[in-house]
Amino acid sequence: MQKIEEAKSKFGTLLEQQLARIEKMKQNATPINYADCKPIIIGITGGDGIGPAITKASKDVLEYLLADAIAVGKIELRNIEGLTIERRAAEKVAIPPAVLDELKKCHVILKGPTTTPQAGDEWPNIESANVAMRKELDLFANVRPVRVPEKGLDWTFFRENTEGAYALGSQGIHVNDDLAIDFTVATTQGCERIIRAAFEYAKANGKKRVTAVTKSNVVKTTDGKFSMIAKEISKNYTGIILDEWYIDIMTAKLIDEKRRTQFEVMVLPNLYGDILTDEAAEFQGGVGTAGSANIGARYAMFEAIHGSAPRMVKEGRDIYADPASMLRASAMLLSHIGYVKESEKLTNALDICTVSEKKIVITGRDTGCTCTEFAAYIMTTCKNI
């Protein structure tokens, strides 16, 4: 009975925390206008594993593309040190407070992959830095495009970033040796803003279909809320069809050649979005080729969608890591802050260097080029576009 009472007490605390978070969401932060930022501060943090190598390559490309804006003080690239697993473990926090303070002084962030501890490894049980950053900066929309024109694929995923199964991922309860409980979270405010963001994107980009992906036939309370809110919001968008697919069959339909070209914009709770976007990225060459945007009202963070690959570092291969995903994220960052021409130039260069021309290639080993050499290839290509 004591174990049960302890679990009840902890659950009550979690409920209080979530209700407090809802009150913050109701305050509706004013969206940032980058035209008013003098300069626009881009924070760059390398993270763990291969992160510093691929982030440095991406920074080199950004410095090249933004040279004129940097020279006149419109843009500042600022290095943010300390978002490493060693420091996070030493301070037993997901993000060291001093590092978080520096991140909050920036307008947008380019972030390398960070290591998330798991049971049985050498690190303490601290929360994912990604999850923490999304919560601390209220980056509620994870936007991941996947485009493969030759296969007729043009998908944009809107993954909810601050709720679902990941919201309390490190705060589950071991009731006793036989029973462990985790929690999933869905709020009206959280569901509304991600679903509305997906419909607004569809409206602005001439898309005719938004697909909500849930498991609401089984997970009836939280997924059911997501599904019902999607249906209500869809009534305000004439000409855009809402359809709903369950996550299990949706993973199959992405590889169905007859069906998959019909999907355009997909909106999903956190866990399902994580799964489906990794599957989708395989169509354009794997998770190493896809970038990711994490958007809130005040802040935005851009990152590769793959992990920190610690094995590559242990084997001395981090200099051969593929920076394409970070460079795709950098292109998304440029577009987000209003540098659309530079974004298009980088995107076109990536298509040339990774698909059509491929004068040098990344293999992850010394049989291919280094990430620094690949960045130089990208810059040379940009110059000729």
Side-chain angles (χ1 to χ4, degrees), residues 259-275:
R259 176 71 70 173
R260 67 191 185 194
T261 57
Q262 298 174 17
F263 299 116
E264 295 181 316
V265 180
M266 284 161 269
V267 60
L268 319 86
N270 206 335
L271 174 60
Y272 307 150
D274 194 4
I275 295 168

Side-chain angles (χ1 to χ4, degrees), residues 355-370:
V355 180
S356 59
E357 189 177 79
K358 299 177 70 173
K359 286 184 177 179
I360 61 174
V361 296
I362 288 275
T363 65
R365 300 180 181 277
D366 58 9
T367 53
C369 68
T370 67

Side-chain angles (χ1 to χ4, degrees), residues 115-126:
T115 297
T116 300
Q118 60 184 2
D121 67 16
E122 61 187 297
W123 307 112
N125 181 28
I126 53 176

